[in-house]
Amino acid sequence: MARIEKIAASRPAGIILREKDLTEKEYEALAVEVLAICRKYHTPCILHSFAGTAEKLDCRALHLPLPLLRGLPAKERENFTVLGVSCHSVADAMEAEALGCTYITAGHIFDTDCKKGLPGRGLGFLKEICSSVSLPVYAIGGINAENLAQVKAAGAKGACIMSTAMMCDDVKKVLGDLS
């Protein structure tokens, strides 16, 4: 939790709590702790994958993979003031917008260790996604201080980072305002 505390204290635009290897019960226990830390620093926390857990914890921000979003009834989607989805094509982005998302993540843009051996989709892909929807688009995948300006020039509202946030002491100092 010390790393989450450092990240939250650097006041990013938000933290998406993605832990795909946990059961829902394990995820809920972790989410309780992370939500408390985020509240302490007034950092928005977006829960991931488990809509029921988000509702149970009174968290109105949720990020889903597109297949889970498709399966979430419209009535339940309305319970979230922030609803995001991961998109990997223009068709995904347009579907996300039609399903009521408030933002999307698009990626992966650059090569990244998180997707070893899978080449990044590139800035042209990002520009195409950004121009196809009216939603804010956040780039993900291989984002760093050297390429952040290019990501924003392609039309992204901001970027999501993982490796940099997990390795550095001050996210804002390294990348500035990602939102």
Side-chain angles (χ1 to χ4, degrees), residues 2 5 13 21 26 31 35 43-44 55 68 79 84 100-101 103 125 132 149 154 173 175:
E5 184 123 13
D21 295 328
E26 293 167 332
L35 283 165
T43 298
E55 288 186 57
L68 289 181
N79 293 331
C101 285
Y103 76 93
F125 163 80
S132 71
K173 185 175 181 184
L175 293 180

Side-chain angles (χ1 to χ4, degrees), residues 89-161:
S89 70
V90 169
D92 287 357
M94 293 172 73
E95 183 178 0
E97 187 168 43
L99 289 170
C101 285
T102 60
Y103 76 93
I104 62 172
T105 60
H108 68 283
I109 303 306
F110 301 105
D111 293 354
T112 174
D113 287 342
C114 297
K115 303 274 185 188
K116 260 206 189 312
L118 196 59
R121 290 180 169 92
L123 292 167
F125 163 80
L126 179 61
K127 190 173 189 170
E128 191 177 3
I129 294 286
C130 293
S131 66
S132 71
V133 294
S134 61
L135 298 173
V137 176
Y138 294 88
I140 191 167
I143 311 298
N144 58 41
E146 288 76 41
N147 60 33
L148 181 60
Q150 295 172 325
V151 162
K152 287 192 168 189
K157 177 159 175 55
C160 302
I161 59 170

Side-chain angles (χ1 to χ4, degrees), residues 53-109:
T53 296
E55 288 186 57
K56 182 178 179 181
L57 299 178
D58 198 30
C59 179
R60 298 293 169 231
L62 180 66
H63 188 95
L64 296 171
L66 189 54
L68 289 181
L69 177 66
R70 287 180 185 130
L72 191 65
K75 188 82 169 151
E76 289 184 45
R77 289 194 304 265
E78 293 170 5
N79 293 331
F80 299 98
T81 56
V82 174
L83 183 61
V85 69
S86 303
C87 295
H88 307 290
S89 70
V90 169
D92 287 357
M94 293 172 73
E95 183 178 0
E97 187 168 43
L99 289 170
C101 285
T102 60
Y103 76 93
I104 62 172
T105 60
H108 68 283
I109 303 306

